Coordinates of all heavy atoms in Angstrom, one line a residue:
M1 N 0.8 -1.2 0.0 CA 0.0 0.0 0.0 C 0.9 1.2 0.0 O 1.9 1.3 0.7 CB -0.9 0.0 1.2 CG -1.7 1.3 1.3 SD -2.5 1.7 2.9 CE -3.6 0.3 3.1
D2 N 0.5 2.2 -0.8 CA 1.2 3.5 -0.8 C 1.0 4.2 0.5 O -0.1 4.1 1.1 CB 0.7 4.4 -2.0 CG 1.1 3.8 -3.3 OD1 2.1 3.1 -3.4 OD2 0.3 4.0 -4.3
R3 N 2.0 5.0 0.9 CA 1.9 5.8 2.2 C 0.8 6.8 2.1 O 0.1 7.1 3.0 CB 3.2 6.4 2.5 CG 3.1 7.2 3.8 CD 4.3 7.5 4.5 NE 4.0 8.2 5.7 CZ 4.9 8.6 6.5 NH1 6.2 8.3 6.3 NH2 4.6 9.3 7.6
F4 N 0.7 7.5 0.9 CA -0.3 8.6 0.8 C -1.4 8.1 -0.2 O -1.1 7.6 -1.3 CB 0.4 9.8 0.3 CG 1.3 10.4 1.3 CD1 2.6 10.1 1.2 CD2 0.8 11.3 2.2 CE1 3.5 10.6 2.2 CE2 1.7 11.8 3.2 CZ 3.0 11.5 3.1
Q5 N -2.6 8.4 0.2 CA -3.8 8.1 -0.7 C -4.6 9.3 -0.9 O -4.9 10.1 0.1 CB -4.6 7.0 0.0 CG -3.9 5.6 0.0 CD -4.9 4.6 0.5 OE1 -5.8 4.8 1.3 NE2 -4.6 3.3 0.2
K6 N -5.1 9.5 -2.1 CA -5.9 10.6 -2.4 C -7.3 10.4 -1.9 O -7.9 9.3 -2.3 CB -5.9 10.9 -3.9 CG -6.6 12.2 -4.3 CD -6.7 12.4 -5.8 CE -5.8 11.7 -6.7 NZ -5.9 11.9 -8.1
G7 N -7.9 11.3 -1.1 CA -9.2 11.1 -0.5 C -10.2 11.9 -1.2 O -11.4 11.6 -1.1
Y8 N -9.8 13.0 -2.0 CA -10.8 13.9 -2.6 C -10.1 14.7 -3.7 O -8.9 15.0 -3.6 CB -11.3 14.9 -1.5 CG -12.2 16.0 -2.1 CD1 -13.5 15.7 -2.3 CD2 -11.7 17.2 -2.4 CE1 -14.4 16.7 -2.8 CE2 -12.5 18.2 -2.9 CZ -13.8 18.0 -3.1 OH -14.6 18.9 -3.6
R9 N -10.8 15.0 -4.7 CA -10.3 15.8 -5.8 C -11.4 16.6 -6.4 O -12.5 16.2 -6.7 CB -9.7 14.9 -6.9 CG -9.2 15.7 -8.1 CD -8.7 14.8 -9.2 NE -8.3 15.5 -10.4 CZ -7.0 15.9 -10.7 NH1 -6.0 15.5 -9.9 NH2 -6.8 16.5 -11.8
Q10 N -11.1 17.9 -6.7 CA -12.0 18.8 -7.3 C -11.2 19.6 -8.4 O -10.1 20.1 -8.1 CB -12.6 19.8 -6.3 CG -13.5 20.8 -6.9 CD -14.1 21.8 -5.8 OE1 -14.2 21.4 -4.6 NE2 -14.3 23.0 -6.2
G11 N -11.8 19.7 -9.6 CA -11.1 20.3 -10.7 C -10.4 19.3 -11.5 O -10.5 18.1 -11.3
G12 N -9.6 19.8 -12.5 CA -8.9 18.8 -13.3 C -8.2 19.5 -14.5 O -8.3 20.7 -14.7
G13 N -7.4 18.7 -15.2 CA -6.7 19.2 -16.4 C -5.6 20.2 -15.9 O -5.0 20.1 -14.9
F14 N -5.5 21.3 -16.7 CA -4.5 22.3 -16.4 C -5.2 23.4 -15.6 O -4.5 24.4 -15.3 CB -3.8 22.9 -17.7 CG -2.9 21.9 -18.2 CD1 -3.2 21.2 -19.4 CD2 -1.6 21.7 -17.6 CE1 -2.3 20.3 -19.9 CE2 -0.7 20.8 -18.2 CZ -1.0 20.1 -19.3
S15 N -6.4 23.3 -15.3 CA -7.1 24.3 -14.5 C -6.8 24.1 -13.0 O -6.1 23.2 -12.6 CB -8.6 24.3 -14.8 OG -9.2 23.0 -14.3
S16 N -7.4 24.9 -12.2 CA -7.3 24.8 -10.8 C -7.7 23.4 -10.2 O -8.8 22.9 -10.6 CB -8.1 25.9 -10.1 OG -8.0 25.8 -8.8
V17 N -6.8 22.8 -9.4 CA -7.1 21.5 -8.8 C -6.9 21.6 -7.3 O -5.9 22.1 -6.9 CB -6.2 20.4 -9.4 CG1 -6.5 19.1 -8.7 CG2 -6.5 20.2 -10.9
T18 N -7.8 21.0 -6.6 CA -7.7 20.9 -5.1 C -7.9 19.4 -4.7 O -8.8 18.8 -5.2 CB -8.7 21.8 -4.4 OG1 -8.6 23.1 -4.8 CG2 -8.6 21.6 -2.9
E19 N -6.9 18.9 -3.9 CA -7.0 17.5 -3.5 C -6.7 17.4 -2.0 O -6.0 18.3 -1.5 CB -5.9 16.7 -4.3 CG -6.1 16.7 -5.7 CD -5.0 16.0 -6.5 OE1 -3.9 15.8 -5.9 OE2 -5.3 15.6 -7.6
I20 N -7.3 16.4 -1.4 CA -6.9 16.1 0.0 C -6.2 14.7 -0.1 O -6.8 13.8 -0.6 CB -8.2 16.0 0.9 CG1 -8.8 17.4 1.0 CG2 -7.8 15.5 2.3 CD1 -10.1 17.5 1.7
W21 N -5.1 14.7 0.5 CA -4.3 13.4 0.6 C -4.2 13.0 2.1 O -4.0 13.8 3.0 CB -2.9 13.7 0.1 CG -2.9 13.8 -1.4 CD1 -3.2 14.9 -2.1 CD2 -2.6 12.8 -2.4 NE1 -3.1 14.7 -3.5 CE2 -2.7 13.4 -3.7 CE3 -2.3 11.5 -2.3 CZ2 -2.5 12.6 -4.8 CZ3 -2.1 10.7 -3.4 CH2 -2.2 11.3 -4.7
V22 N -4.2 11.7 2.3 CA -4.2 11.2 3.7 C -2.9 10.3 3.8 O -2.6 9.4 3.0 CB -5.4 10.3 4.0 CG1 -5.3 9.7 5.4 CG2 -6.7 11.1 3.8
D23 N -2.1 10.6 4.9 CA -1.0 9.8 5.2 C -1.5 8.5 5.9 O -2.1 8.6 7.0 CB -0.1 10.6 6.2 CG 1.2 9.9 6.5 OD1 1.2 8.6 6.5 OD2 2.2 10.5 6.9
T24 N -1.3 7.4 5.3 CA -1.9 6.1 5.8 C -1.2 5.7 7.1 O -1.7 4.8 7.8 CB -1.8 5.0 4.7 OG1 -0.5 4.8 4.4 CG2 -2.6 5.4 3.5
Q25 N 0.0 6.2 7.4 CA 0.7 5.8 8.6 C 0.3 6.6 9.8 O 0.2 6.1 10.9 CB 2.2 5.9 8.4 CG 2.7 4.8 7.4 CD 4.2 4.9 7.3 OE1 4.9 5.5 8.1 NE2 4.7 4.1 6.4
T26 N 0.0 7.9 9.6 CA -0.3 8.8 10.7 C -1.8 9.2 10.7 O -2.3 9.7 11.7 CB 0.5 10.1 10.7 OG1 0.2 10.8 9.5 CG2 2.0 9.7 10.7
G27 N -2.5 9.1 9.5 CA -3.9 9.6 9.4 C -4.0 11.0 9.1 O -5.1 11.5 8.9
V28 N -2.9 11.8 9.1 CA -2.9 13.2 8.9 C -3.4 13.5 7.5 O -2.9 12.9 6.6 CB -1.6 13.9 9.2 CG1 -1.6 15.4 8.9 CG2 -1.2 13.7 10.7
N29 N -4.3 14.5 7.4 CA -4.8 15.0 6.1 C -4.0 16.2 5.6 O -3.7 17.1 6.4 CB -6.3 15.3 6.2 CG -7.2 14.1 6.3 OD1 -8.1 13.9 5.5 ND2 -6.9 13.3 7.3
Y30 N -3.7 16.2 4.3 CA -3.0 17.3 3.7 C -3.8 17.9 2.5 O -4.5 17.2 1.8 CB -1.7 16.9 3.1 CG -0.7 16.4 4.2 CD1 -0.7 15.1 4.6 CD2 0.2 17.3 4.8 CE1 0.1 14.7 5.6 CE2 1.0 16.9 5.8 CZ 1.0 15.6 6.2 OH 1.8 15.2 7.2
L31 N -3.8 19.2 2.4 CA -4.5 19.9 1.3 C -3.5 20.3 0.3 O -2.5 21.0 0.6 CB -5.2 21.2 1.9 CG -6.0 22.0 0.8 CD1 -7.2 21.2 0.3 CD2 -6.4 23.3 1.5
W32 N -3.7 19.8 -1.0 CA -2.9 20.2 -2.1 C -3.7 21.0 -3.1 O -4.8 20.6 -3.4 CB -2.4 18.9 -2.8 CG -1.8 19.1 -4.1 CD1 -2.4 18.7 -5.3 CD2 -0.6 19.7 -4.5 NE1 -1.6 19.0 -6.4 CE2 -0.5 19.7 -5.9 CE3 0.4 20.3 -3.8 CZ2 0.6 20.2 -6.6 CZ3 1.5 20.9 -4.5 CH2 1.6 20.8 -5.9
H33 N -3.1 22.1 -3.5 CA -3.8 22.9 -4.5 C -2.8 23.4 -5.6 O -1.7 23.8 -5.2 CB -4.5 24.2 -3.9 CG -5.2 25.0 -4.9 ND1 -6.5 24.8 -5.3 CD2 -4.8 26.1 -5.5 CE1 -6.8 25.7 -6.2 NE2 -5.8 26.5 -6.3
H34 N -3.2 23.3 -6.8 CA -2.3 23.8 -7.9 C -3.2 24.5 -8.9 O -4.4 24.1 -9.1 CB -1.4 22.8 -8.4 CG -1.9 21.8 -9.4 ND1 -2.1 22.1 -10.7 CD2 -2.3 20.6 -9.2 CE1 -2.6 21.0 -11.3 NE2 -2.8 20.1 -10.4
D35 N -2.6 25.5 -9.5 CA -3.3 26.3 -10.6 C -2.2 26.6 -11.6 O -1.3 27.4 -11.3 CB -3.9 27.5 -10.0 CG -4.9 28.2 -10.9 OD1 -4.9 27.8 -12.1 OD2 -5.6 29.1 -10.5
G36 N -2.3 25.9 -12.7 CA -1.3 26.1 -13.8 C 0.1 25.5 -13.3 O 0.1 24.4 -13.0
H37 N 1.1 26.4 -13.2 CA 2.4 25.9 -12.9 C 2.8 26.2 -11.4 O 3.9 26.0 -11.0 CB 3.5 26.5 -13.8 CG 3.3 26.1 -15.2 ND1 3.6 24.9 -15.7 CD2 2.8 26.8 -16.3 CE1 3.4 24.8 -16.9 NE2 2.9 26.0 -17.4
A38 N 1.8 26.7 -10.6 CA 2.1 27.0 -9.2 C 1.2 26.0 -8.3 O 0.1 25.7 -8.7 CB 1.7 28.4 -8.9
G39 N 1.7 25.7 -7.2 CA 1.0 24.8 -6.3 C 1.5 24.9 -4.8 O 2.5 25.5 -4.6
G40 N 0.7 24.3 -3.9 CA 1.2 24.3 -2.5 C 0.5 23.2 -1.8 O -0.6 22.7 -2.1
L41 N 1.2 22.8 -0.7 CA 0.8 21.7 0.1 C 0.8 22.1 1.6 O 1.8 22.8 2.0 CB 1.7 20.5 0.0 CG 1.4 19.2 0.8 CD1 0.2 18.5 0.3 CD2 2.6 18.3 0.8
T42 N -0.3 21.8 2.3 CA -0.3 22.2 3.7 C -1.1 21.2 4.5 O -1.9 20.5 3.9 CB -0.9 23.6 3.9 OG1 -0.7 24.0 5.3 CG2 -2.4 23.7 3.5
V43 N -0.9 21.1 5.8 CA -1.7 20.3 6.7 C -3.1 20.8 6.7 O -3.3 22.1 6.8 CB -1.1 20.2 8.1 CG1 -2.0 19.4 9.0 CG2 0.3 19.6 8.1
L44 N -4.1 20.0 6.6 CA -5.5 20.4 6.7 C -5.8 20.6 8.2 O -5.7 19.6 8.9 CB -6.4 19.4 6.0 CG -7.9 19.7 5.9 CD1 -8.1 21.0 5.0 CD2 -8.6 18.6 5.3
L45 N -6.3 21.7 8.6 CA -6.6 22.0 10.0 C -8.1 22.1 10.2 O -8.9 22.5 9.4 CB -6.0 23.4 10.4 CG -4.5 23.5 10.2 CD1 -4.0 24.9 10.5 CD2 -3.8 22.4 11.0
D46 N -8.5 21.7 11.4 CA -9.9 21.7 11.8 C -10.2 23.1 12.4 O -9.4 24.0 12.4 CB -10.3 20.6 12.8 CG -9.6 20.8 14.2 OD1 -9.1 21.9 14.5 OD2 -9.7 19.8 15.0
E47 N -11.4 23.3 12.9 CA -11.9 24.6 13.4 C -11.1 25.1 14.6 O -11.1 26.3 14.9 CB -13.4 24.6 13.7 CG -13.8 23.7 14.8 CD -14.0 22.3 14.3 OE1 -13.8 21.9 13.2 OE2 -14.4 21.4 15.2
N48 N -10.4 24.2 15.3 CA -9.5 24.6 16.4 C -8.1 24.7 16.1 O -7.2 24.9 17.0 CB -9.7 23.5 17.5 CG -11.1 23.4 18.0 OD1 -11.8 24.4 18.3 ND2 -11.7 22.2 18.1
G49 N -7.7 24.6 14.8 CA -6.4 24.8 14.4 C -5.5 23.5 14.6 O -4.3 23.6 14.5
K50 N -6.1 22.4 14.8 CA -5.4 21.1 14.9 C -5.5 20.3 13.6 O -6.5 20.4 12.9 CB -6.0 20.3 16.1 CG -5.8 21.1 17.4 CD -6.2 20.2 18.6 CE -5.9 21.1 19.8 NZ -5.8 20.3 21.0
P51 N -4.5 19.5 13.3 CA -4.5 18.7 12.1 C -5.8 17.8 12.1 O -6.1 17.2 13.1 CB -3.2 17.9 12.2 CG -2.4 18.7 13.1 CD -3.3 19.3 14.1
V52 N -6.4 17.7 10.9 CA -7.4 16.7 10.7 C -6.8 15.3 10.5 O -5.9 15.1 9.7 CB -8.2 17.1 9.4 CG1 -9.3 16.0 9.1 CG2 -8.9 18.4 9.6
V53 N -7.3 14.4 11.3 CA -6.7 13.0 11.3 C -7.8 12.0 11.0 O -8.9 12.1 11.6 CB -6.1 12.7 12.7 CG1 -5.6 11.2 12.7 CG2 -5.0 13.6 13.0
T54 N -7.6 11.2 9.9 CA -8.5 10.2 9.5 C -8.1 8.9 10.3 O -7.0 8.5 10.2 CB -8.5 10.0 8.0 OG1 -8.9 11.2 7.4 CG2 -9.4 8.8 7.6
K55 N -9.1 8.3 11.0 CA -8.8 7.1 11.7 C -9.2 5.9 10.8 O -10.2 5.9 10.2 CB -9.5 7.1 13.0 CG -9.1 8.2 14.0 CD -9.8 8.2 15.3 CE -9.2 9.3 16.1 NZ -10.0 9.7 17.2
N56 N -8.4 4.9 10.8 CA -8.6 3.7 10.0 C -9.6 2.8 10.7 O -9.7 2.6 11.8 CB -7.4 2.9 9.8 CG -6.4 3.7 8.9 OD1 -6.8 4.6 8.1 ND2 -5.1 3.5 9.0

């Protein structure tokens, strides 16, 4: 099994894309967004500023 699994995707092609990736070892969720040739990755936070964790 791959360590990271895509849990969500919105958009596609060369347009704006937003994805949520889950670390299968820790459960931590990451938000990935790219638009054209620029992109960024960050930990997905809940309303209290804590990392969103997916439990298996």
Side-chain angles (χ1 to χ4, degrees):
M1 176 195 298
D2 293 331
R3 176 158 183 182
F4 294 93
Q5 293 186 334
K6 189 180 344 177
Y8 174 81
R9 179 182 174 97
Q10 179 179 330
F14 286 105
S15 63
S16 177
V17 174
T18 301
E19 298 174 341
I20 296 175
W21 288 83
V22 179
D23 182 333
T24 61
Q25 292 183 9
T26 65
V28 174
N29 286 237
Y30 295 88
L31 179 68
W32 163 252
H33 179 81
H34 76 83
D35 194 350
H37 297 287
L41 178 73
T42 189
V43 174
L44 185 62
L45 303 176
D46 68 13
E47 63 275 4
N48 297 313
K50 297 190 180 199
V52 173
V53 177
T54 299
K55 296 180 179 161
N56 295 334

